[in-house]
């Protein structure tokens, strides 16, 4: 009981409820939450993915792959968000019901480390493109390290103050991003005409399965971590609506825009596309806001994960330390390992979403109560075994050199891992529950 009281005192000081349910009077409506998720979905990795799809597929194929992948993400995100809204807890706190109070520490550390790494990768994206933009527009040459350091500190600033700061950033940045991107599309079509979008592809062909896999893979971790945002929803319906719109629309919006821009301008270099259209300053604003709104959520999730592990350390201090470490990862070039890191993170993190959604929806939702969380077992073996098994299964379906490449199921290893974990957790959970 003393621990629960201490937790509440800690959360009163931080105001972000990282170790307890978000109170009902602090809950948000679906629209403001949807804007947060849309802002998270509007990022440079989605833009670059869209440019690659536009360069390696015809218009119909690239749009089909994006829409299918985004709808799948929307469904998974809605399921995960539902659990977050019902419990009012972060992803890392939810794992205590699944893996035990000590087992959850391992999961929280994994979630925290991968979120930090992803933050570093995204800062690297930002730095690379800002370097190009500053050189092309103002003939200013600064190192990637300098841009990484500046970008990391900028994106860390909102994460320090928690969800409400992220929400305020999203509310004014999303309309601004849409305006500038709309100007870019209008200018491109006005300059080049519409016929270019139907021209044959100029890059290496991309198979449909691979394209859908890339669309899902680039945001699957975000869907698994969606309780970090969904716990702020006024009702589960608000959470599900916001998550589906956020992941289905937010994820696809930037990718589809990039598909059209790359096909009209016949290049997958988005920074130079903006500059070629005479939109240098808007390019800087879009690059900054797109990464800022997305990456601050990565650090936010990392800090929530580490808050479960380091209970006596204030969350703001955890965020600052984690942000500095992640920024240094960017400065030292984690961006260069982008694709390999993306493959590995999806393999480890995707099963966690399958495990907690199956347990809550189909096995035993009654145990997901905060009041009894400290009476949990220290270790819950069946969920840990399912996590390991699903991760190995995903490695089997992941192509070399990042996986074994033994066979394919959906051609999307992240989705394979989620589905495998969901089904096995359901079956094993029901069997073990009946025996108990």
């Amino acid at each position: 009981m003393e621990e629960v009281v201490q937790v509440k005192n800690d959360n009163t000081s931080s105001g972000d409820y990282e170790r307890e349910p978000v109170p009902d009077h602090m809950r948000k409506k679906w629209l403001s939450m949807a804007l947060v998720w849309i802002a998270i979905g509007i990022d440079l990795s989605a833009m670059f993915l869209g440019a690659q799809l536009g360069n390696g597929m015809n218009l119909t194929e690239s749009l089909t792959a994006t829409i299918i992948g985004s709808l799948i993400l929307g469904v998974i995100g809605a399921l995960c968000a539902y659990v977050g809204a019902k419990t009012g807890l972060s992803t890392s706190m939810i794992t205590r019901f699944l893996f035990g109070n000590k087992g959850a520490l391992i999961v929280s550390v994994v979630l925290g480390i991968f979120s930090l790494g992803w933050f570093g990768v995204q800062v690297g994206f930002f730095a690379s493109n800002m370097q190009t933009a500053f050189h092309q527009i103002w003939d200013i040459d600064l190192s990637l390290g300098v841009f990484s350091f500046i970008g990391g500190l900028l994106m860390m600033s909102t994460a320090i103050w928690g969800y409400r700061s992220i929400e305020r950033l999203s509310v004014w940045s999303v309309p601004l991003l849409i305006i500038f991107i709309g100007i870019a599309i209008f200018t491109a079509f006005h300059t080049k005409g519409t016929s270019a979008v139907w021209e044959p592809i100029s890059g290496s062909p991309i198979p449909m399965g691979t394209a859908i896999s890339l669309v899902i893979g680039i945001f699957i971790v975000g869907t698994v971590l969606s309780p970090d945002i969904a716990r702020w929803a006024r009702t589960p319906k608000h959470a599900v609506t916001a998550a589906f719109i956020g992941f289905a629309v937010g994820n696809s919006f930037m990718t589809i825009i990039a598909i059209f821009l790359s096909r009209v301008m016949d290049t997958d270099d988005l920074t130079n596309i903006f500059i070629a259209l005479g939109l240098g300053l808007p390019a800087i604003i879009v690059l900054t806001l797109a990464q800022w709104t997305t990456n601050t959520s990565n650090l936010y999730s990392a800090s929530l994960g580490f808050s479960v592990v380091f209970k006596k350390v204030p969350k703001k201090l955890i965020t600052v330390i984690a942000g500095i470490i992640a920024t240094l990862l960017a400065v030292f070039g984690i961006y260069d390992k982008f694709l390999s890191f993306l493959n590995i993170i999806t393999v480890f993190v995707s099963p966690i979403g399958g495990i907690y959604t199956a347990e809550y929806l189909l096995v035993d939702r009654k145990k997901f109560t905060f009041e009894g969380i400290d009476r949990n077992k220290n270790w819950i073996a069946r969920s840990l075994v399912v996590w390991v098994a699903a991760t190995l299964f995903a490695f089997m379906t992941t192509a070399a050199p990042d996986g074994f490449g033994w066979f394919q199921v959906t051609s999307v290893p992240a989705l394979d891992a989620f589905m495998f974990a969901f089904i096995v957790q359901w079956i094993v959970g029901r069997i073990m529950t009946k025996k108990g």
Side-chain angles (χ1 to χ4, degrees), residues 207 209-210 213 393-394 396-399 405-413 416:
T210 301
S213 176
F393 183 79
M396 294 177 192
T397 66
T398 301
W406 291 349
F407 55 88
Q408 285 190 339
V409 180
T410 65
S411 79
V412 186
D416 296 340

Side-chain angles (χ1 to χ4, degrees), residues 20 44 399:
E20 67 172 319
L44 295 183

Side-chain angles (χ1 to χ4, degrees), residues 12 17 24 34 71 73 75 80 136 154 211 231 242 263 281 297 307 337 418 420:
T12 301
Y17 310 100
D24 289 342
L71 287 175
L73 282 172
V75 171
C80 294
Q136 296 278 15
L154 179 69
R231 66 199 180 102
R263 293 196 61 78
L281 188 57
S297 70
S307 291
K337 305 294 183 182
F418 184 95
F420 181 94

Side-chain angles (χ1 to χ4, degrees), residues 262-279:
S262 65
R263 293 196 61 78
V264 170
M265 302 299 290
D266 195 28
T267 177
D268 61 1
D269 189 332
L270 279 163
T271 306
N272 282 320
I273 286 175
F274 273 91
I275 294 169
L277 294 171
L279 300 172

Side-chain angles (χ1 to χ4, degrees), residues 130-149:
M130 290 297 281
Q131 185 184 53
T132 300
F134 269 69
H135 175 75
Q136 296 278 15
I137 299 169
W138 296 303
D139 198 27
I140 296 174
D141 291 308
L142 295 174
S143 69
L144 285 175
V146 170
F147 280 115
S148 294
F149 187 73

